[in-house]
Amino acid sequence: MVSKAVAKYVHALHLKKYRLRHEAFLVEGGKSVRELLSSGILTERLIGTPEFLEKIRAEVPAGVPVEVVSEEELTRLSTLSTNNTALAVARLPPEKPLQPAPGQLLLALDEVRDPGNVGTLIRLADWYGLAGVVCSDTCADPWAPKTVVATMGSFTRVPVWQRNLPEWLGGLPQELPVYGADLHGDNVHRLTLRPTGVLVMGSESHGLTPPVEACLTQRLHIPGRGQAESLNVAVSAAILLDNFYRHEVG
Amino acid sequence: MVSKAVAKYVHALHLKKYRLRHEAFLVEGGKSVRELLSSGILTERLIGTPEFLEKIRAEVPAGVPVEVVSEEELTRLSTLSTNNTALAVARLPPEKPLQPAPGQLLLALDEVRDPGNVGTLIRLADWYGLAGVVCSDTCADPWAPKTVVATMGSFTRVPVWQRNLPEWLGGLPQELPVYGADLHGDNVHRLTLRPTGVLVMGSESHGLTPPVEACLTQRLHIPGRGQAESLNVAVSAAILLDNFYRHEVG
């Protein structure tokens, strides 16, 4: 059993306010915990079931405090509906310099409020090896437990930043392309896109906010032939990124 | 206030067993309810807040029983964390004949257990105007409330079937292509894919089940350049479908 103080600390980290105050976040579930332990992010504390901890014993870096709990207790500490493996408290990684460079593509998210979508987008950024993900202040917290779970381990590899998005975009060099999805944009199948600059994705319900839209240098349209009005934000980003990288990778 | 019998009926429809027994399902939230009312699917009953019902009065077909409730009562009936618009009970639409035809592409889902993913995939099928979605018996129920919400209205337009997937695939004409995603498959950027046959997507954690994999006629790979091991199933399907339709639409 963990102490009351530890239980209180873990529960506090369910909330953004306390993640910022303590500069720490939660990593839940076996796969994510293993990715954390083999990454450069510092693990403060590991709490798990006896079976799982036994299985990963060799992967735990020296000096990480480990506590053994029952599945019931672990589930009570966790935000997951059940947890029979582990959770870890990790230090928020220090922010890297945010310097868009030619030949690199950044993904920017404008008011993407669903943590599952933000996590899926970070995982997608990892797949394409993007320079990182810039989240507007109004996005779901990239360090929320639901976001971290949805990244499927990519939270250890993809740099993320939180910024006032119109302000940041407004300060970029004039010559840097800023792309966004738009139903009236250019058909991506007819373009030869190169992964340089910034691709901005908006919220599902409202699209890009006007101040962000004003910063775009090119609008991109994904042609469809059915009757859906729109696509999920991660789905749209995936199709666009595949169009950016289809001339590069392979 | 709705009667106890109605409240019990609505709560029963949260569960698959009772959806099958009553041949009915729940549609929750303003957008989905409006799509339902303008579709060919029969509405049994509409329950909403006074403000929302007033707004959509002209859209409600004659003969649909309408009940006015408070936001609190609506939320209690609903599976959503809050509902300030409406929910409807709808009849499960009769199944259409499932006959793969040349020049048409079907999406098949193999053990996709997350209802949000199944819903997002149905929405994606609508975007590309696919012939429909065939779900394995082991998928999340396409008529579950979470699935219906995630389709963003596409549940009214996309035919879905539930089948024993290996059995159904095994009975298809020999000449019909059956595609599946595979890390060791052919690079989709180097193929000219045509939307005919079946595209099968597997579960996130385990990929395609062996009996389904044995039915594939071509394996497709989405090239990446980062370090993520895999992509979300809806994200992968989106990229593949864009590669199928890029020579067709636009």
Side-chain angles (χ1 to χ4, degrees):
Chain A
M1 230 172 93
V2 299
S3 70
K4 271 195 185 170
V6 168
K8 197 177 158 192
Y9 180 49
V10 169
H11 277 123
L13 297 178
H14 291 199
L15 300 176
K16 181 170 183 177
K17 179 168 99 169
Y18 295 105
R19 290 194 291 273
L20 289 176
R21 182 177 301 172
H22 298 297
E23 297 181 10
F25 67 106
L26 290 186
V27 178
E28 302 179 292
K31 179 180 165 54
S32 296
V33 165
R34 294 176 88 157
E35 294 264 11
L36 170 71
L37 295 173
S38 68
S39 77
I41 299 177
L42 280 177
T43 305
E44 269 186 24
R45 186 178 290 278
L46 175 61
I47 303 170
T49 58
E51 301 73 27
F52 181 76
L53 291 175
E54 176 58 31
K55 199 170 79 177
I56 63 154
R57 196 160 43 158
E59 300 168 30
V60 182
V64 172
V66 178
E67 289 177 272
V68 185
V69 295
S70 68
E71 184 178 331
E72 292 69 39
E73 189 179 356
L74 187 61
T75 298
R76 276 199 302 277
L77 292 169
S78 182
T79 71
L80 304 173
S81 58
T82 60
N83 187 342
N84 60 9
T85 52
L87 71 75
V89 177
R91 302 298 303 160
L92 282 180
E95 199 178 78
K96 297 198 175 164
L98 172 50
Q99 287 159 335
Q104 288 196 332
L105 186 65
L106 282 161
L107 184 64
L109 308 182
D110 181 25
E111 289 203 356
V112 178
R113 293 186 190 276
D114 180 84
N117 281 337
V118 173
T120 302
L121 286 157
I122 292 172
R123 181 179 176 193
L124 180 65
D126 194 16
W127 181 265
Y128 284 103
L130 299 196
V133 178
V134 185
C135 299
S136 72
D137 299 326
T138 49
C139 281
D141 183 8
W143 303 106
K146 279 189 186 170
T147 313
V148 170
V149 165
T151 71
M152 293 289 281
S154 295
F155 71 95
T156 60
R157 289 180 293 268
V158 176
V160 296
W161 300 270
Q162 291 173 78
R163 288 288 184 278
N164 176 316
L165 207 55
E167 217 173 274
W168 175 71
L169 288 169
L172 292 177
Q174 284 276 333
E175 66 279 11
L176 204 77
V178 179
Y179 302 96
D182 188 298
L183 285 175
H184 306 290
D186 302 323
N187 179 342
V188 288
H189 294 164
R190 299 204 183 133
L191 301 171
T192 302
L193 296 165
R194 298 290 175 188
T196 284
V198 183
L199 170 64
V200 196
M201 302 301 303
S203 84
E204 306 216 28
S205 340
H206 308 289
L208 294 175
T209 56
V212 165
E213 215 187 337
C215 300
L216 298 186
T217 60
Q218 188 165 18
R219 286 162 178 74
L220 304 175
H221 172 58
I222 299 167
R225 46 196 281 289
Q227 293 177 73
E229 278 167 31
S230 65
L231 289 165
N232 166 283
V233 59
V235 155
S236 304
I239 296 171
L240 293 176
L241 287 174
D242 190 61
N243 277 278
F244 274 98
Y245 284 97
R246 62 186 303 117
H247 314 289
E248 304 278 318
V249 289
Chain B
M1 231 175 88
V2 299
S3 70
K4 271 196 184 168
V6 168
K8 196 176 158 191
Y9 180 49
V10 170
H11 277 123
L13 296 179
H14 291 199
L15 300 176
K16 181 171 183 176
K17 181 169 96 169
Y18 295 104
R19 289 194 291 273
L20 288 175
R21 182 177 302 172
H22 297 298
E23 298 182 8
F25 68 107
L26 289 185
V27 178
E28 301 179 291
K31 179 180 165 51
S32 297
V33 164
R34 294 176 89 157
E35 293 264 11
L36 171 69
L37 295 174
S38 67
S39 77
I41 298 177
L42 281 176
T43 306
E44 269 186 23
R45 186 179 291 278
L46 174 62
I47 304 169
T49 58
E51 301 74 26
F52 182 76
L53 291 175
E54 176 58 31
K55 198 169 80 176
I56 63 155
R57 199 162 41 159
E59 300 169 30
V60 183
V64 171
V66 178
E67 289 176 272
V68 185
V69 295
S70 68
E71 184 178 333
E72 294 68 38
E73 189 179 357
L74 187 62
T75 297
R76 277 199 302 276
L77 291 169
S78 182
T79 70
L80 303 173
S81 57
T82 60
N83 186 343
N84 60 9
T85 52
L87 72 74
V89 177
R91 302 299 302 160
L92 282 180
E95 198 178 79
K96 295 198 176 165
L98 172 49
Q99 287 159 334
Q104 289 196 331
L105 187 65
L106 282 161
L107 183 63
L109 308 183
D110 182 24
E111 288 203 356
V112 178
R113 293 186 191 276
D114 179 85
N117 281 336
V118 172
T120 303
L121 286 157
I122 291 172
R123 182 180 175 192
L124 181 64
D126 193 16
W127 182 264
Y128 283 103
L130 299 196
V133 178
V134 185
C135 300
S136 72
D137 299 326
T138 49
C139 280
D141 183 9
W143 304 105
K146 280 189 185 170
T147 313
V148 170
V149 166
T151 70
M152 294 289 281
S154 295
F155 71 95
T156 60
R157 288 181 293 267
V158 177
V160 297
W161 300 270
Q162 292 174 78
R163 288 288 183 278
N164 176 317
L165 206 55
E167 217 173 273
W168 175 70
L169 289 170
L172 292 177
Q174 284 278 331
E175 65 279 11
L176 203 78
V178 180
Y179 302 96
D182 188 299
L183 286 176
H184 307 290
D186 302 323
N187 178 342
V188 287
H189 294 165
R190 299 205 183 133
L191 300 171
T192 302
L193 295 166
R194 297 290 174 188
T196 284
V198 183
L199 170 63
V200 197
M201 303 301 302
S203 85
E204 307 217 27
S205 340
H206 308 290
L208 293 175
T209 57
V212 165
E213 214 187 338
C215 300
L216 298 185
T217 60
Q218 187 165 17
R219 286 163 178 72
L220 304 175
H221 172 57
I222 300 166
R225 46 195 282 286
Q227 292 176 74
E229 279 167 32
S230 64
L231 289 166
N232 166 282
V233 59
V235 155
S236 304
I239 297 171
L240 293 176
L241 287 175
D242 190 60
N243 277 277
F244 273 98
Y245 283 97
R246 63 185 302 117
H247 313 290
E248 304 278 319
V249 288

